[in-house]
Amino acid sequence: MTDEHQTLALLLFSGFVAVTLAITTWVSRNRRGSAEEFYAGGRLFSPMENGFAIAGDYMSAASFLGVTGLIALFGYDGLLYVVGFLVAWLVVLFLVAELVRNCGRFTLADVVAARMRERPVRIAAGTSSVTVSVLYLVAQMVGAGSLVALLLGGTSEAARAWTVIGVGALMVIYVSLGGMRATTWIQIVKAVLLLGGTIALTVLVLMRFQGDLDRLLFTAAERSGHGQAFLAPGLKYGGDWTARFDFISLGLALVLGTAGLPHILSRFYTVPTARAARRSVVWAVGLIGGFYLMTIVLGFGAAAIVGPDAVRGSNASGNTAVPLLALDLGGGAGSTGGTVLFAIVAAVAFATILAVVAGITLASSASVAHDLYASLRRRRGKPRSEVAVARVAAVGVGVVAIALGLLARDLNVAFLVGLAFAVAASANLPVLLYSLFWSRFTTRGAVWAVYGGLVPALVLVVLSPVVSGSPDSLFPSVDFQYFPLQNPGLVSIPLGFLAGWLGTVTSAEVPDEARHAETEVRSLTGAGAA
């Protein structure tokens, strides 16, 4: 990239960072320091504000960079991520949003612990939430490294490493100083920027082809080198039965995983009522749906205009397809329009990463402090102490995410998020649904459901082609690949539900029907909700 690219993009990066740090500083001066303020922003956000924040939290680097890159490289099969990410919100809307808002206070564990023995349930749910959050953070770190490597005109390992470290430092500052209120406003600003940038690029792509979608698709297919196969299922997931099962596994993970993501669940506590939570999801579905429709145009646009070979040449996993598309749409390398558009898109993508990592870090630090620390130390009634622990936890989570981000820097960010969704669907969703809808569910069933999904999901990932046994794995020089699928969801999600059922039917504990009835009434009516 030219010096003009670097200078302008870095100025835009700096501008966004300055604005978000100003928001964080302002909020830190006006906060009360309570747990409710730190974890839920005082529950003062309107449905529209929270809907924009949810969209900002969900439209991550995986969506903007990874999904468009997969569509550019694999055509139709890349659309599977779009479908999965969007359909997942129907599960959230109809099964989760209002009920979670009514039953909990700050975290997933609050919902489960409402009718179980608190200590074992909070430890299990807190462990799972932190694990999912760290996996999700790794994807954002990888996206940041790829983006800045492109910006600096090379693949310098030092540049990518320092980028990951810088993003980690910023997210710790956002969470430690501003809590949920600052994080929410950062996500709202980012959602507006991302939607604006995506709309502009989509319009430019359609103008390039005079609004003719058929011509766009056929040009993409022609440049892909695969012909009409580029527009048909099977290019990535149709080679053999293993690939087909991998597709089913990925689809299950994407559709069911969103309802178990800790940073999404925590957003329902920032509004005053369950009705507001449901309206927030309606706002979010509209914004997210429009965004994903545009990513389809951008993905095929990158294939038609930039070409899959150029995309792979810049980043083997396709993570830089959108910035390259912006460069070409603006007039090409060296042109003023190309420089400006590239810099804007790069800055928006970087803003996306910063906003998402702030939300995930807050959710994971809340799980550490509110669930793990409070349970293990048996301290209650000390919200200031708990908030202090959450700030320290944010630093620890940031360090772990940075280390793993450096390790996984060559993997596609959408693929990495797919793994996080699989773990969330395996460990968090079974215990959440059983707690809300099964009157006989017991403490043992809750603990078994979490670990029965979490442990197999992590073990299967370690034994999969993601970690070893293939040229694209984390450790290509060794081979301990025993599980053929790249995504463990097909096996680990049923195991999570099975373990929860088995733990319940083998438990000597008598289910507390009164507490279940109380939870049911509260979840459906909001009576007694925080």
Side-chain angles (χ1 to χ4, degrees):
M1 296 299 141
T2 64
D3 291 339
E4 289 82 359
H5 286 95
Q6 296 178 25
T7 303
L8 184 56
L10 289 173
L11 284 174
L12 290 169
F13 288 167
S14 303
F16 179 81
V17 171
V19 169
T20 53
L21 286 176
I23 293 172
T24 303
T25 304
W26 176 75
V27 169
S28 67
R29 290 178 179 176
N30 291 276
R31 59 179 168 78
R32 296 188 299 273
S34 66
E36 184 171 330
E37 173 72 23
F38 186 81
Y39 295 141
R43 309 188 199 279
L44 299 175
F45 292 99
S46 70
M48 185 181 74
E49 290 169 344
N50 198 45
F52 269 88
I54 291 173
D57 214 352
Y58 193 71
M59 297 183 302
S60 66
S63 304
F64 193 53
L65 301 178
V67 170
T68 49
L70 286 172
I71 294 174
L73 297 180
F74 300 105
Y76 182 94
D77 279 11
L79 293 176
L80 302 175
Y81 282 86
V82 173
V83 175
F85 282 143
L86 187 54
V87 171
W89 280 97
L90 298 178
V91 179
V92 176
L93 179 62
F94 292 114
L95 290 180
V96 173
E98 283 189 74
L99 307 183
V100 166
R101 172 62 187 82
N102 284 335
C103 290
R105 291 187 65 220
F106 306 125
T107 64
L108 165 69
D110 288 335
V111 180
V112 183
R115 49 178 293 218
M116 309 291 175
R117 294 200 312 273
E118 282 204 35
R119 194 166 187 264
V121 166
R122 285 194 180 278
I123 292 172
T127 302
S128 173
S129 294
V130 172
T131 303
V132 172
S133 297
V134 169
L135 284 173
Y136 208 106
L137 278 172
V138 170
Q140 313 308 315
M141 298 296 191
V142 171
S146 300
L147 190 66
V148 173
L150 175 65
L151 173 67
L152 298 178
T155 55
S156 166
E157 296 300 325
R160 297 173 76 175
W162 281 110
T163 300
V164 170
I165 293 170
V167 170
L170 282 171
M171 76 185 187
V172 170
I173 292 171
Y174 293 148
V175 172
S176 299
L177 293 181
M180 178 58 85
R181 189 173 297 189
T183 299
T184 298
W185 282 111
I186 290 168
Q187 288 163 345
I188 291 172
V189 172
K190 166 255 170 154
V192 173
L193 290 174
L194 182 60
L195 287 168
T198 307
I199 290 170
L201 285 180
T202 302
V203 170
L204 289 173
V205 170
L206 293 176
M207 287 175 61
R208 177 71 67 92
F209 292 91
Q210 289 80 46
D212 189 342
L213 291 176
D214 283 346
R215 184 179 163 206
L216 167 63
L217 295 176
F218 288 133
T219 305
E222 184 180 341
R223 290 205 64 180
S224 70
H226 298 286
Q228 293 302 307
F230 190 72
L231 305 177
L235 195 59
K236 181 174 175 62
Y237 294 111
D240 52 27
W241 280 106
T242 299
R244 294 175 188 180
F245 281 123
D246 227 339
F247 157 62
I248 297 172
S249 187
L250 173 66
L252 281 174
L254 295 180
V255 171
L256 299 178
T258 300
L261 292 176
H263 65 290
I264 296 298
L265 294 175
S266 66
R267 291 241 52 94
F268 301 135
Y269 301 124
T270 63
V271 290
T273 64
R275 182 171 181 267
R278 187 178 183 86
R279 290 174 61 197
S280 296
V281 176
V282 174
W283 272 99
V285 169
L287 295 169
I288 293 167
F291 170 77
Y292 279 119
L293 288 176
M294 290 186 287
T295 61
I296 297 173
V297 176
L298 297 185
F300 283 110
I305 296 171
V306 180
D309 291 338
V311 171
R312 281 194 185 90
S314 172
N315 182 276
S317 299
N319 293 332
T320 55
V322 174
L324 290 176
L325 175 62
L327 182 64
D328 198 297
L329 289 172
S335 67
T336 302
T339 299
V340 171
L341 197 57
F342 171 87
I344 291 173
V345 168
V348 167
F350 200 70
T352 294
I353 292 165
L354 288 179
V356 173
V357 297
I360 303 168
T361 306
L362 179 60
S364 55
S365 63
S367 293
V368 171
H370 186 63
D371 299 327
L372 298 177
Y373 172 79
S375 297
L376 294 173
R377 296 298 298 271
R378 294 183 179 275
R379 293 182 180 180
R380 293 184 175 87
K382 295 184 177 180
R384 288 185 180 274
S385 175
E386 191 176 296
V387 170
V389 173
R391 292 195 175 102
V392 174
V395 178
V397 169
V399 170
V400 173
I402 288 169
L404 292 176
L406 294 174
L407 184 65
R409 59 184 175 268
D410 293 323
L411 297 180
N412 180 276
V413 288
F415 168 73
L416 286 170
V417 165
L419 295 182
F421 273 60
V423 177
S426 304
N428 291 347
L429 186 64
V431 71
L432 181 61
L433 294 183
Y434 278 149
S435 298
L436 291 172
F437 300 110
W438 190 16
S439 61
R440 292 182 54 203
F441 199 43
T442 63
T443 302
R444 176 190 283 184
V447 174
W448 283 27
V450 173
Y451 292 126
L454 178 65
V455 174
L458 294 178
V459 170
L460 291 177
V461 168
V462 170
L463 299 179
S464 74
V466 176
V467 176
S468 70
S470 71
D472 299 327
S473 61
L474 292 179
F475 304 106
S477 58
V478 296
D479 186 0
F480 45 87
Q481 173 197 335
Y482 299 102
F483 181 66
L485 305 184
Q486 293 189 332
N487 191 294
L490 184 63
V491 176
S492 59
I493 295 173
L495 283 178
F497 281 98
L498 178 62
W501 172 82
L502 189 61
T504 297
V505 299
T506 60
S507 173
E509 178 185 350
V510 178
D512 192 330
E513 294 186 8
R515 291 182 72 181
H516 172 260
E518 179 184 343
T519 301
E520 187 175 36
V521 171
R522 180 172 167 179
S523 67
L524 294 175
T525 67

